[in-house]
Amino acid sequence: MPESASSSRRTIPVPLALLCLCLLAYGLLLPGLGFYWDDWPWVWLAHQGGPAGMLYIDHAQRPLAGEILWVGSLLAGSSPWRWQALNLVYRWLTGVALWWTLRRIWPKHPGAVAWMAALFLVYPGFRQQFVSVNSSRHILPLAAYLLSLGCMLSAARQPRQPRRRSWLLTLLALGLDLGALLATDYFYGLELLRPIFLWLALEAENTRERLKAAALRWLPYFGMLLIAAIWRYELSRRLSYAVTLSSDLLRAPLESGSGLLQSLLSNCAAATVSAWANVFDFPRRMNFGLKIVVIYWILVAATSLLAWLYMRRFQDTVPQAAFLKGAGTAGILALLVGSLPFLATGLPVALSFPADRATLPMMLGASLLLVGLVQILGKRQALRNALLALAVGLAVGMHFLTALSFQQDWEKQQAFFRQLAWRAPALKPGTALFYAQNQALQNFRSTDNSLTAPLNWIYAPENTSDILFYDLFDLRLRLHSVLPALQDGRPITDRYGRYEFRGSSEAVLLFHYAPPACLHIFDPKYDTDNPQAPDVLASLLPLSNLGLIKPAGEPQAILPSDVFGVAPEADWCYYFEKADLARQFGDWQTIVDLGQTAAELGYSPRHPAERVPFIQGFAYTGQWWQAEDLTYQAFQSNGKLAAMLCAVWTDLDASAPSAQDKPVTVQRVKQRLGCPAQ
C-alpha cells in the first residue's frame, strides 16, 4: 500500500529525494567541470551569433534540437558550470517524470517505483552527463517523452474523469511526444512501448476489451511515430547517419537478420550486465591517491545508507506475479527496442566514449528489469532494499570517479590553450595546426573538430564571417582522409559546418601536447632529433613555420574568462613557453632571466627537452658553465636526448659568440654525450 500520511510528513517527497541523489551523483565536482567534445562547436556558435546561433544546429534533421540549445544558451550563456547545472536539472526531470509515470501503472508498489526512478537516475552505462551542452538536447527530450507517457496513462487510467480533462491530457501527451520526436531520434524505439504501458495500466473486463482499449489509445501516437519515422528515413538518405538496416535486410535477409539478433542481444548485455559491472571497478590508491579513495568509499557508504533509510518509509504489497511479470516484460522489451535507432544506422552500442551515448534510451529497460529481478526475493523487503541501496551507492561512486576524470580532462584543455597563448601570442590567419594524439591523451575527450572552435574563439574572437581563420588537425585521423599530399604550396581546405578554412602547406605549425609535459611547438631547426615527436609528426617537421607566430606586440590571444575562468599563477610551463618564444626571436637574455626566475620559484622542467632553450640562452650570453650543467641534467634524465643535444651543441659551436671557455666546453660536452665527429 502507499506510504501513510504520517510517514509522508516525516520524510522529504520523492522528487526532492531524487534531486538530492542527482546532486550526489553529478553535482559534487560541478564547479570544476567544463566543455567537452561537441559542446565546443555549439557554444562557439552562440558566441559567434548570439543565442540565436543555436537555432540552426541540426535544424534539418532534428528541428527542435536547436531550440533546446537556444534556451540553454539564454540560461547558461558561455559558462561551463551553468551548463552543467542546467543539464543536472534536466537529468533530475527525467527521474521525476519516470517516477510520476510509473505510479500510474503500479500504484500499489510505490517503493519499487521509487527504486526504478533512482536507478534510472544513476544508471552507470551512460557517462556523458558531463558533456552538458551536447547531451542536454537528448536528455530534455527524454524527460518530455516520459512526461508524455504519464499524461497518456493518466488520460487512459481514469475514464470517468471529466471528458475535457481527458482530452487536455491527451493533447498534452501528443504535444510532448511530438516535441521529443522532433528534437532527437534517440527515442523512436521507445515509442513502441506505449501499447505495453497502456496494457499494464488499463483495467478491463476481459483481455479482448483491454487489448482493444490499448490499441485505440495508442493509435494517434503510432500514426505520429510512423510519419516521423518515414520523414527521418527519407532525410537520412541525404544527410548523415543513413538508415542501412532496411537495405541490408533486403539484400541478405538471413545473414542480416541473424546479425540483427546478435546485435540486439549484445546491446542488451552491454546495457545491463556490462554496465552494472562498471560499478565494481573500485579506485586504487596507486591511481587516484588516498584522498580520492577515502572520499569515494565515504560517498558510496553514505549514499547507500541514506537510500536504505529513506526507502524504509515505503511498505509495498508483497510482489505479485502480475507485477513481476509486467516489470520484467516491460524491462526486456524496453531494452530490445531502445537500441533500434542505433541498429538502424549501424552505430555501435558500447560503454566507451563516445559510443555510450547509445545507452541513453536503454536506461529505462535496464532500471525496470533490475528492480523486477530483485523483487523475486518476495517478502524479504529489507534484503531487497539493502541490495538496491548498495547498487545506488556504487553507481553514485562510479559517477564521482567519472566526474573526476572529466575534471582532469578540463584541466588539460585549460592548460593546453593557456600554454598555446603563451607560446603564440598571435597567429597569422589561415594557420593550420597539426598534432598527433598519443596514449597520454587517451582520455582527452575533445577531438580536433571539437578544439577548432575554442582555437578560433581565442585567436579570432571578433570574426563574424564564414571564413574559419584557424584549424586543428589530428594527423592520425586526417592525414589520409582530409589533408592532401602535403607538398610545398599545396592548399589545405576544410569545412566546419557553414564555415570554410582556407590554408596551405606553407602555413602550418606542428605541436605536441602530452601532459604533464608542456605544450611544444616544433622548430625545424632544433627539433629534428626531438624524441617527443611522434613518427607522423617527425616526417612533416620541415613544414612547421614559426613565422606564423606574431610577437607579443601584436594583438594578443585572449582566453574568455567566462569560459576558462581566472588564469592561475604562472607555473613552469609559463616560463618554458615564454623562453621558447624568446628563442624564436633570438632574445637570449630574456631566456636567461626567465630561467633564473623559474629556478628561484622552485620550478623545474616537466620533460628533459624543456631545458634546451635555456641551454642555448646561457650559451649565447657567455655563461657556458650553466649551459653545460643544464645539458648534463637533461642527458641524465633521458638518454634519448643525446642526438638532439648533440645537434644543439653543434649549432652553438658554429653560431654562438666567441668566448675564452667556449672551445673547451663544446669539446667536453660533445665527448660526454658521445656526439659523432664532424
Side-chain angles (χ1 to χ4, degrees), residues 170-470:
T170 300
L171 289 174
L172 181 58
L174 287 168
L176 288 168
D177 190 33
L178 179 61
L181 290 172
L182 293 178
T184 179
D185 42 39
Y186 278 24
F187 311 117
Y188 279 24
L190 290 181
E191 287 291 331
L192 300 176
L193 289 177
R194 286 185 183 271
I196 305 301
F197 284 128
L198 282 166
W199 169 270
L200 293 172
L202 287 171
E203 298 176 358
E205 296 181 359
N206 55 60
T207 301
R208 182 177 179 180
E209 291 297 322
R210 191 177 180 184
L211 185 61
K212 179 181 177 181
L216 286 174
R217 289 189 173 273
W218 181 48
L219 194 58
Y221 302 94
F222 175 71
M224 198 158 59
L225 171 64
L226 187 62
I227 294 172
I230 294 173
W231 162 75
R232 190 67 182 83
Y233 173 76
E234 291 297 323
L235 199 64
S236 73
R237 299 170 68 180
R238 306 191 308 272
L239 301 175
S240 58
Y241 302 126
V243 176
T244 58
L245 180 60
S246 56
S247 58
D248 292 341
L249 288 172
L250 289 174
R251 186 181 66 256
L254 292 179
E255 183 180 350
S256 298
S258 175
L260 174 62
L261 179 59
Q262 291 179 12
S263 296
L264 277 173
L265 295 177
S266 175
N267 292 345
C268 291
T272 52
V273 177
S274 299
W276 279 102
N278 281 339
V279 304
F280 298 104
D281 188 10
F282 305 132
R284 298 180 181 180
R285 180 177 178 180
M286 65 180 67
N287 296 329
F288 291 90
L290 180 61
K291 179 181 177 181
I292 295 299
V293 172
V294 170
I295 293 174
Y296 167 85
W297 284 113
I298 290 175
L299 181 61
V300 169
T303 303
S304 300
L305 179 60
L306 290 173
W308 180 76
L309 290 173
Y310 180 80
M311 295 302 293
R312 292 177 64 191
R313 66 181 285 201
F314 296 104
Q315 297 297 323
D316 285 18
T317 57
V318 176
Q320 303 166 342
F323 171 75
L324 297 175
K325 183 178 179 181
T329 301
I332 293 173
L333 290 176
L335 283 169
L336 290 172
V337 302
S339 66
L340 286 180
F342 296 91
L343 285 173
T345 54
L347 294 175
V349 176
L351 301 180
S352 58
F353 183 88
D356 60 324
R357 57 183 170 168
T359 65
L360 189 59
M362 304 183 77
M363 295 194 305
L364 175 59
S367 305
L368 295 180
L369 183 59
L370 181 57
V371 175
L373 290 174
V374 172
Q375 298 303 311
I376 295 176
L377 296 174
K379 297 181 180 181
R380 291 172 285 186
Q381 182 170 340
L383 178 58
R384 300 199 306 266
N385 284 349
L387 289 174
L388 292 172
L390 181 60
V392 168
L394 288 172
V396 166
M398 188 215 72
H399 286 301
F400 168 73
L401 296 179
T402 301
L404 183 65
S405 74
F406 272 92
Q407 183 184 62
Q408 294 167 346
D409 189 327
W410 179 234
E411 291 170 354
K412 289 179 184 177
Q413 290 188 73
Q414 290 175 301
F416 166 71
F417 283 112
R418 287 196 179 101
Q419 291 174 33
L420 181 61
W422 292 333
R423 176 61 183 89
L427 285 173
K428 182 180 178 181
T431 298
L433 287 87
F434 291 177
Y435 72 106
Q437 185 171 347
N438 62 4
Q439 191 68 18
L441 294 180
Q442 61 181 348
N443 294 322
F444 206 44
R445 295 175 178 87
S446 297
T447 65
D448 50 0
N449 278 337
S450 310
L451 298 177
T452 290
L455 177 70
N456 282 271
W457 197 338
I458 291 168
Y459 281 95
E462 305 300 326
N463 176 32
T464 57
S465 69
D466 290 343
I467 300 299
L468 193 70
F469 283 5
Y470 309 98

Side-chain angles (χ1 to χ4, degrees), residues 468-616:
L468 193 70
F469 283 5
Y470 309 98
D471 208 349
L472 270 174
F473 294 94
D474 181 348
L475 295 181
R476 297 186 190 273
L477 299 175
R478 318 295 175 190
L479 186 57
H480 301 295
S481 60
V482 176
L483 296 174
L486 293 172
Q487 301 172 359
D488 289 344
R490 289 293 297 270
I492 298 175
T493 59
D494 190 25
R495 296 297 305 183
Y496 196 76
R498 66 181 179 89
Y499 298 90
E500 182 180 11
F501 173 76
R502 303 170 187 170
S504 78
S505 56
E506 295 178 343
V508 167
L509 283 175
L510 274 66
F511 72 88
H512 185 62
Y513 182 56
C518 305
L519 167 77
H520 186 71
I521 293 180
F522 290 110
D523 187 332
K525 182 178 180 180
Y526 301 122
D527 288 309
T528 303
D529 297 299
N530 192 332
Q532 288 180 292
D535 292 341
V536 67
L537 284 181
S539 63
L540 298 174
L541 193 61
L543 293 178
S544 195
N545 181 4
L546 297 188
L548 301 168
I549 298 175
K550 298 181 180 182
E554 301 289 339
Q556 301 290 295
I558 300 174
L559 276 67
S561 59
D562 54 338
V563 177
F564 291 96
V566 179
E569 293 184 3
D571 57 8
W572 163 259
C573 286
Y574 169 82
Y575 293 97
F576 167 73
E577 302 297 351
K578 289 301 182 183
D580 206 23
L581 176 64
R583 178 176 68 168
Q584 176 184 335
F585 296 100
D587 190 353
W588 306 112
Q589 185 58 49
T590 294
I591 295 176
V592 171
D593 295 341
L594 289 166
Q596 291 174 341
T597 302
E600 290 171 0
L601 294 173
Y603 297 136
S604 59
R606 299 180 181 179
H607 190 280
E610 292 164 8
R611 286 187 168 91
V612 171
F614 300 98
I615 293 172
Q616 294 167 305

Side-chain angles (χ1 to χ4, degrees), residues 26-147:
Y26 308 114
L28 296 182
L29 299 178
L30 186 149
L33 300 174
F35 294 134
Y36 314 90
W37 197 37
D38 284 349
D39 288 350
W40 278 119
W42 307 151
V43 293
W44 180 61
L45 284 174
H47 162 74
Q48 289 289 95
M54 295 279 204
L55 294 173
Y56 301 98
I57 295 173
D58 279 356
H59 182 71
Q61 54 200 30
R62 293 166 177 164
L64 293 185
E67 276 70 9
I68 293 173
L69 295 175
W70 171 68
V71 171
S73 184
L74 289 175
L75 296 173
S78 300
S79 169
W81 76 263
R82 289 180 183 174
W83 272 104
Q84 294 288 344
L86 182 62
N87 206 36
L88 187 149
V89 172
Y90 290 167
R91 186 68 176 267
W92 169 66
L93 287 176
T94 65
V96 173
L98 179 64
W99 168 76
W100 180 73
T101 296
L102 295 182
R103 288 179 67 192
R104 275 126 191 87
I105 302 175
W106 297 299
K108 296 181 180 180
H109 299 275
V113 166
W115 279 122
M116 290 172 180
L119 291 167
F120 176 82
L121 272 182
V122 298
Y123 172 70
F126 178 74
R127 301 197 189 192
Q128 292 195 33
Q129 173 68 30
F130 306 111
V131 188
S132 57
V133 182
N134 189 58
S135 65
S136 70
R137 61 194 182 124
H138 302 297
I139 291 177
L140 187 59
L142 178 57
Y145 164 76
L146 294 171
L147 285 172

